[in-house]
């Protein structure tokens, strides 16, 4: 069963949920923990966030759809959990936003009035609009901070294909966000949501 694809695991979720969940947990605990730890720099908080991701997956197992890779799906859940943690911790959130703000802005303008939650929804929507393979490559690069060469090896693609996909993903994101988010504000949003 360890050699099963993610698509096969999702099918198994519907017939043998406990076994499928155990395998998904074993496969993705470490990658998700690494992402959470990079963002939070706190092992206990990172573990809590990853636990919440798997609780969500279990709660929503009946709705789980077959997909080539579960990682992008899990990363979106994790990012939302981390965002919610920051939202609950108002002091940390205010520090992050104000520090980024002061480094970038010297004047007030209307787009600054958007809340961080609204901005996250806009960015999530932009990511969701990407084709599945492009989305996977984009998230591997942004969330796991894998290089194009590492992504190419992981997905059995050429490095040039990965670079092309990343370039196209960035263009599609920019096109989707144009008119919705001020370009300078977008720098702040991406840096907060991706940890870059």
């Amino acid at each position: 069963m360890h050699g099963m694809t993610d698509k096969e695991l999702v099918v198994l979720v519907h017939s043998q949920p406990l076994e499928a969940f155990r395998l998904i947990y074993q496969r993705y605990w470490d990658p998700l923990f690494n992402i959470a730890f990079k963002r939070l720099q706190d092992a206990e908080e990172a573990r809590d966030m990853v636990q919440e991701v798997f609780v969500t997956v279990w709660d929503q197992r009946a709705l789980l759809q077959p997909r080539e890779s579960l990682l992008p799906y899990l990363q979106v859940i994790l990012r939302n959990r981390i965002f919610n943690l920051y939202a609950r911790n108002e002091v940390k959130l205010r520090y992050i936003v104000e520090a980024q703000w002061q480094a970038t802005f010297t004047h007030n303008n209307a787009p600054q009035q958007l809340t961080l939650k609204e901005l996250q929804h806009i960015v999530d929507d932009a990511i969701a609009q990407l084709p599945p393979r492009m989305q996977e490559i984009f998230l591997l690069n942004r969330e796991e901070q894998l290089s194009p060469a590492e992504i190419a090896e992981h997905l059995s693609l050429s490095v040039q294909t990965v670079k092309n996909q990343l370039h196209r993903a960035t263009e599609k994101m920019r096109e989707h966000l144009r008119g919705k988010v001020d370009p300078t504000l977008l720098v702040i949003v991406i840096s907060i949501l991706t940890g870059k």
Side-chain angles (χ1 to χ4, degrees), residues 68-196:
E68 293 299 325
S69 172
L70 286 169
L71 188 58
Y73 167 75
L74 297 172
Q75 287 172 322
V76 168
I77 297 173
L78 177 61
R79 189 170 64 245
N80 289 339
R81 290 292 173 276
I82 291 172
F83 171 78
N84 289 339
L85 175 68
Y86 283 141
R88 288 193 301 268
N89 187 340
E90 192 177 338
V91 174
K92 186 182 284 188
L93 178 63
R94 188 179 298 126
Y95 171 78
I96 290 169
V97 173
E98 288 179 358
Q100 294 285 352
W101 226 255
Q102 290 169 4
T104 308
F105 289 102
T106 56
H107 62 281
N108 292 325
N109 59 36
Q112 292 179 19
Q113 303 309 311
L114 287 172
T115 68
L116 189 58
K117 189 165 188 174
E118 289 168 332
L119 292 170
Q120 187 204 355
H121 285 308
I122 292 169
V123 171
D124 281 347
D125 187 49
I127 293 171
Q129 300 298 317
L130 298 175
R133 177 62 87 172
M134 188 180 290
Q135 183 182 116
E136 182 178 14
I137 290 169
F138 180 81
L139 288 172
L140 284 171
N141 180 252
R142 294 290 179 162
E143 298 287 342
E144 292 200 47
Q145 299 178 343
L146 296 183
S147 69
E150 291 169 324
I151 296 169
E153 184 178 349
H154 179 69
L155 299 177
S156 301
L157 299 170
S158 73
V159 176
Q160 190 57 50
T161 297
V162 171
K163 287 180 178 177
N164 291 344
Q165 290 285 302
L166 286 172
H167 177 73
R168 281 200 282 272
T170 304
E171 290 301 310
K172 283 178 176 289
M173 293 272 293
R174 193 173 291 136
E175 186 179 323
H176 183 83
L177 294 163
R178 191 176 292 124
K180 296 181 182 177
V181 178
D182 182 276
T184 48
L185 186 58
L186 182 57
V187 172
I188 292 174
V189 177
I190 296 295
S191 107
I192 291 173
L193 296 180
T194 66
K196 290 196 170 187

Side-chain angles (χ1 to χ4, degrees), residues 11-79:
V11 172
L12 189 65
V13 163
H14 302 293
S15 59
Q16 297 179 49
L18 287 173
E19 178 62 14
F21 182 79
R22 184 181 67 78
L23 292 170
I24 292 168
Y25 186 92
Q26 288 174 348
R27 183 172 295 179
Y28 287 112
W29 171 270
D30 286 341
L32 292 175
F33 176 80
N34 291 337
I35 294 167
F37 185 74
K38 281 178 191 170
R39 291 268 193 98
L40 300 169
Q41 296 299 305
D42 182 304
E44 188 174 335
E45 277 189 345
R47 275 192 293 273
D48 288 346
M49 290 298 100
V50 176
Q51 282 297 116
E52 286 187 30
V53 169
F54 285 108
V55 168
T56 300
V57 171
W58 177 256
D59 289 344
Q60 297 178 357
R61 65 190 181 279
L63 305 174
L64 203 54
Q65 297 296 314
R67 56 191 78 215
E68 293 299 325
S69 172
L70 286 169
L71 188 58
Y73 167 75
L74 297 172
Q75 287 172 322
V76 168
I77 297 173
L78 177 61
R79 189 170 64 245

